[in-house]
Amino acid sequence: MNAPIELTDEQIHKNMANAIRALSMDAVQKANSGHPGMPMGMADVATVLFSKFLRFDPKWPTWPGRDRFVLSAGHGSMLIYSLLHLTGYERPTMEDIKNFRQLHSPTAGHPEFGECPGVETTTGPLGQGLATSVGMAIAERLANKEFGGDLFDYHTYVIAGDGCLMEGVSQEAISLAGHLKLGKMVVLWDDNSISIDGKTDLSTSEDMHMRFEAAGWHVQSVDGHDEEAIETAIELAREDERPSLIACRTVIGFGAPNKQGTSATHGSPLGADEIAAARVELGWPHEPFVIPEDVLANWRKVGAAGAKLTASWKKKFDGLDAAKKADLERRLNKDLPAGFDKAIDDYKAKLAAEPQKVATRKASQMALEVINAVLPETIGGSADLTGSNLTLTKGMGAITADDFSGRYMYYGIREFEMCAAMNGIALSNMHIPYGGTFLVFTDYARPAIRLAALMKQRAIYVMTHDSIGLGEDGPTHQPIEHLASLRAMPNLNVFRPADVVETAECWALALKAKETPSILSLTRQNLPQLRAEFTTENLCAKGGYVLREATGGKPKVVLIGTGSEVEIAAKARDILEAEGIATRLVSMPSTELFDKQDAAYKASVLPADALKASIEAASTFGWQRYTGLDGVNIGIDSFGASAPAEQLYDHFGVTAEALVAAVKNKL
């Protein structure tokens, strides 16, 4: 009987990489949709990374001490699906891979967080995986400083494509990472010089190496099909204190003899004939979706190696001081400290005793002074507007390249990267990030906010200067359509508090929303405290509530206001009441939470037989669903103007007098 043939390390590597290529081209072919080129081109790089460096355990996908792997070039999703299956994760199964891009399958067209264990973040829009990974690397440094290197000392590895590096957010990301010297971040660039339209020289000619070097990165170049060169490059990257870029020169669609190296392999199935030719070219004679036992065994051995790592980590975790261990467990479960509710109630009681007339941006800072004192995991920040957003509180300390013991990030003028990095921080479950800019600049950050909502991450956006009330900066800085468009986004809570008490309550709701990001829309101008009586009940929790009841019977008119316009609606109510018109005032800080209430509650707040009128210094779009076709909607359906705030409110007719006149005209 002949002895089994001993394979060389090179042959073992080749077979393991070809398993990725085969699964990728077969899955895309069966789906008749997808991107086979990138997985086939980067199979060698991924094989080296997973088999030689990546610290993970398929049996404990959420192990807090694991390395993070981010496929920023998310269109090549079959690369990560192949890796997860081959290394022994519960999902995707082979059946899942056969159902690539099909309804109810976890193998979506682009990797989605929460669908497959081992997918660390949702990627798809190019550049966002790279941008999010900066936050992951920041989270590691924060946890390392706070809980020690025995528990948190992991790397963040990113596979990025040419498209990721063309997107503007990539510049924000590499600039921030270089500034913070995130040495445990390694980007493996699929340097294949191909995009959908053809060769990348159609649209770009920059020196990518110099670009990264200028941002303070360690830069190397390797043959992306030479496993020894790849291994050496990753070793050198891990030894450098700077973030690292490894330019991996690859052939897109490697192994497809007639299409490799061309855009024909980028976003289309190879076709049956080319796949047959590729099997010959690669020396892979196996049927579609069949992985030989010896190849699968080698991959499963890679996955099984993680068990020792997690056992060692668990032993260190169990040896923690009891209080520290409990705090860590609480954070990982996204729970708030036991004293949180009492701290908020005590603060509200103080406000009842000592009313405050302040802008809600100041009210936010006042609430944060209380919150940050009892919640050690909050990480604040601002996109170069700290003094305007008022996101910094006492004793937070700046996070710098030399000191990660602080709790405040100076993100610079990088709104998109700030929110993407917040996603990366939130995904660690170790910290709760909040970051500020002007509400109008959610336009710069929207793609990251959208991914937070899609991934169900608790990120909190402190968006100040929320209306024409910001005044003289003019229409470029005055948000009009933003509230309506943000309210249209699924799984995003948009809070627009009316005073200092509502601001505290909205902060509490945002922090308790474990699976929903929140926007706090806050004023520049001072607002009176409308809530004078103390209650432990969070009235904002139902989204809308009766702030002032009609006198003398059921309401004939219901006025609905948000934020700074609740004060205006309160004045209008007083005028109408003085004229004998029974008028109720409703504050609606969150339409999302109000819409979630049962029909009986909504009807009790907005009775069908009353005339309903809304007022908000923003687009009237969407308010008709509360006021009806015959209701009144006071707002601004044009762009703003440059002038003092008081003049602008008069100019655009967002006043108590205008509201009263419109209501009386309808009665």
Side-chain angles (χ1 to χ4, degrees):
M1 185 174 182
N2 294 329
I5 299 173
E6 287 289 332
L7 298 180
T8 65
D9 290 344
E10 182 180 355
Q11 290 170 321
I12 292 171
H13 166 88
K14 178 182 176 182
N15 288 338
M16 292 173 71
N18 283 343
I20 296 172
R21 294 183 173 106
L23 286 177
S24 298
M25 63 185 184
D26 289 341
V28 171
Q29 183 67 22
K30 186 173 187 297
N32 195 30
S33 175
H35 301 74
M38 195 283 277
M40 296 176 74
M42 285 296 280
D44 291 307
V45 174
T47 299
V48 172
L49 176 63
F50 270 67
S51 63
K52 302 286 187 180
F53 296 100
L54 199 71
R55 299 166 68 251
F56 68 103
D57 183 357
K59 304 305 180 186
W60 189 3
T62 58
W63 166 39
R66 71 194 181 280
D67 287 339
R68 270 53 168 183
F69 171 67
V70 175
L71 184 65
S72 187
H75 56 279
S77 56
M78 270 311 304
L79 178 69
I80 192 168
Y81 298 147
S82 299
L83 289 162
L84 296 176
H85 174 73
L86 291 168
T87 54
Y89 282 82
E90 182 180 358
R91 305 291 291 272
T93 63
M94 185 61 81
E95 195 63 24
D96 292 331
I97 288 177
K98 290 178 180 178
N99 286 311
F100 176 58
R101 288 186 164 224
Q102 304 307 301
L103 187 63
H104 304 310
S105 173
T107 49
H110 294 79
E112 293 184 21
F113 175 79
E115 291 293 322
C116 276
V119 173
E120 300 285 1
T121 181
T122 297
T123 56
L126 292 177
Q128 279 214 64
L130 173 62
T132 302
S133 67
V134 175
M136 293 179 174
I138 291 170
E140 184 277 333
R141 291 288 83 197
L142 294 171
N144 177 282
K145 187 68 176 180
E146 190 173 2
F147 290 92
D150 283 347
L151 291 178
F152 297 100
D153 191 25
Y154 57 82
H155 283 76
T156 300
Y157 296 98
V158 184
I159 286 183
D162 290 303
C164 294
L165 302 188
M166 288 189 206
E167 289 286 357
V169 73
S170 71
Q171 183 58 37
E172 297 182 27
I174 67 173
S175 177
L176 183 60
H179 174 71
L180 292 175
K181 297 182 181 177
L182 298 176
K184 292 188 176 295
M185 180 176 175
V186 179
V187 175
L188 300 151
W189 169 30
D190 181 18
D191 182 15
N192 61 36
S193 299
I194 294 293
S195 63
I196 291 176
D197 281 349
K199 290 186 177 297
T200 54
D201 61 12
L202 289 169
S203 57
T204 184
S205 56
E206 65 194 298
D207 187 322
M208 203 63 67
H209 299 69
M210 291 182 67
R211 178 184 172 202
F212 276 79
E213 287 174 355
W217 285 57
H218 173 228
V219 178
Q220 303 174 77
S221 296
V222 297
D223 179 346
H225 302 296
D226 182 339
E227 65 268 25
E228 290 184 1
I230 298 164
E231 182 176 354
T232 298
I234 296 175
E235 286 175 347
L236 291 172
R238 287 164 54 90
E239 293 170 3
D240 202 283
E241 66 177 8
R242 298 165 292 176
S244 289
L245 173 74
I246 303 175
C248 305
R249 174 61 72 176
T250 62
V251 177
I252 191 171
F254 182 91
N258 303 302
K259 294 185 177 182
Q260 64 182 359
T262 72
S263 59
T265 69
H266 188 287
S268 302
L270 296 179
D273 291 343
E274 186 69 6
I275 287 177
R279 281 183 147 77
V280 174
E281 182 80 7
L282 295 170
W284 188 266
H286 316 290
E287 292 296 312
F289 303 106
V290 172
I291 307 298
E293 289 185 10
D294 62 323
V295 178
L296 184 59
N298 284 326
W299 270 117
R300 293 293 160 86
K301 184 179 178 181
V302 169
K308 289 183 179 180
L309 298 173
T310 52
S312 174
W313 189 92
K314 186 68 164 59
K315 186 176 180 180
K316 294 171 184 175
F317 173 78
D318 289 338
L320 283 175
D321 167 82
K324 202 167 190 178
K325 181 179 178 181
D327 184 49
L328 183 50
E329 287 180 322
R330 175 188 66 77
R331 293 195 197 188
L332 291 172
N333 289 328
K334 293 188 173 183
D335 296 328
L336 301 181
F340 177 79
D341 287 336
K342 184 178 185 305
I344 295 295
D345 287 344
D346 289 348
Y347 174 56
K348 287 168 60 180
K350 181 180 178 182
L351 292 174
E354 303 173 10
Q356 302 289 319
K357 182 177 181 178
V358 295
T360 50
R361 61 170 175 163
K362 179 61 178 177
S364 172
Q365 186 182 47
M366 292 162 62
L368 281 170
E369 291 285 1
V370 175
I371 290 164
N372 289 337
V374 297
L375 206 59
E377 63 264 38
T378 49
I379 301 296
S382 173
D384 200 53
L385 288 169
T386 295
S388 296
N389 302 145
L390 302 181
T391 40
L392 179 63
T393 62
K394 296 183 184 72
M396 294 192 81
I399 296 167
T400 69
D402 301 318
D403 186 0
F404 280 84
S405 63
R407 294 170 56 191
Y408 194 81
M409 277 289 305
Y410 290 95
Y411 286 102
I413 308 167
R414 305 182 183 101
E415 294 89 354
F416 193 170
E417 173 54 34
M418 175 180 72
C419 294
M422 286 167 60
N423 288 346
I425 294 170
L427 283 161
S428 75
N429 289 349
M430 290 290 297
H431 298 93
I432 302 172
Y434 69 86
T437 185
F438 291 171
L439 181 62
V440 75
F441 297 136
T442 53
D443 282 345
Y444 281 1
R446 186 180 300 268
I449 296 172
R450 186 175 188 270
L451 282 195
L454 185 59
M455 293 190 289
K456 301 180 179 179
Q457 292 304 299
R458 179 173 50 185
I460 302 172
Y461 312 100
V462 181
M463 299 298 176
T464 68
H465 296 62
D466 70 343
S467 74
I468 57 170
L470 66 87
E472 291 88 343
D473 274 345
T476 59
H477 284 56
Q478 293 166 1
I480 298 296
E481 74 281 13
H482 298 74
L483 287 169
S485 65
L486 290 165
R487 287 169 179 153
M489 190 179 294
N491 193 41
L492 175 67
N493 287 335
V494 180
F495 294 104
R496 193 161 186 253
D499 69 357
V500 67
V501 178
E502 281 196 358
T503 302
E505 290 186 344
C506 290
W507 258 112
L509 293 168
L511 289 163
K512 290 184 176 183
K514 293 184 178 182
E515 295 188 342
T516 303
S518 298
I519 285 179
L520 291 165
S521 176
L522 307 171
T523 67
R524 178 177 184 259
Q525 69 271 36
N526 290 340
L527 303 178
Q529 183 173 322
L530 300 173
R531 293 265 298 275
E533 295 182 3
F534 169 67
T535 174
T536 58
E537 181 184 1
N538 189 323
L539 299 183
C540 292
K542 291 185 176 179
Y545 65 96
V546 178
L547 179 61
R548 301 276 190 274
E549 188 52 278
T551 57
K554 68 178 185 178
K556 188 173 184 179
V557 175
V558 177
L559 305 181
I560 313 165
T562 78
S564 48
E565 286 68 67
V566 177
E567 175 192 8
I568 296 173
K571 292 177 181 177
R573 172 192 172 273
D574 292 345
I575 295 170
L576 291 167
E577 284 274 334
E579 296 184 14
I581 302 171
T583 304
R584 170 186 290 177
L585 172 61
V586 170
S587 178
M588 193 175 289
S590 172
T591 61
E592 296 81 16
L593 295 185
F594 184 75
D595 290 346
K596 290 179 180 178
Q597 306 308 309
D598 60 37
Y601 177 77
K602 286 187 278 191
S604 73
V605 175
L606 304 177
D609 57 354
L611 173 68
K612 290 173 280 292
S614 71
I615 183 167
E616 187 172 60
S619 169
T620 61
F621 184 84
W623 281 106
Q624 294 82 358
R625 70 185 189 276
Y626 303 116
T627 60
L629 295 177
D630 296 325
V632 172
N633 302 110
I634 299 292
I636 304 171
D637 292 316
S638 65
F639 290 115
S642 178
E646 310 81 48
Q647 295 180 24
L648 291 172
Y649 272 85
D650 288 338
H651 174 74
F652 286 105
V654 184
T655 64
E657 293 75 18
L659 180 56
V660 168
V663 166
K664 292 172 71 174
N665 187 54
K666 287 283 187 176
L667 290 175

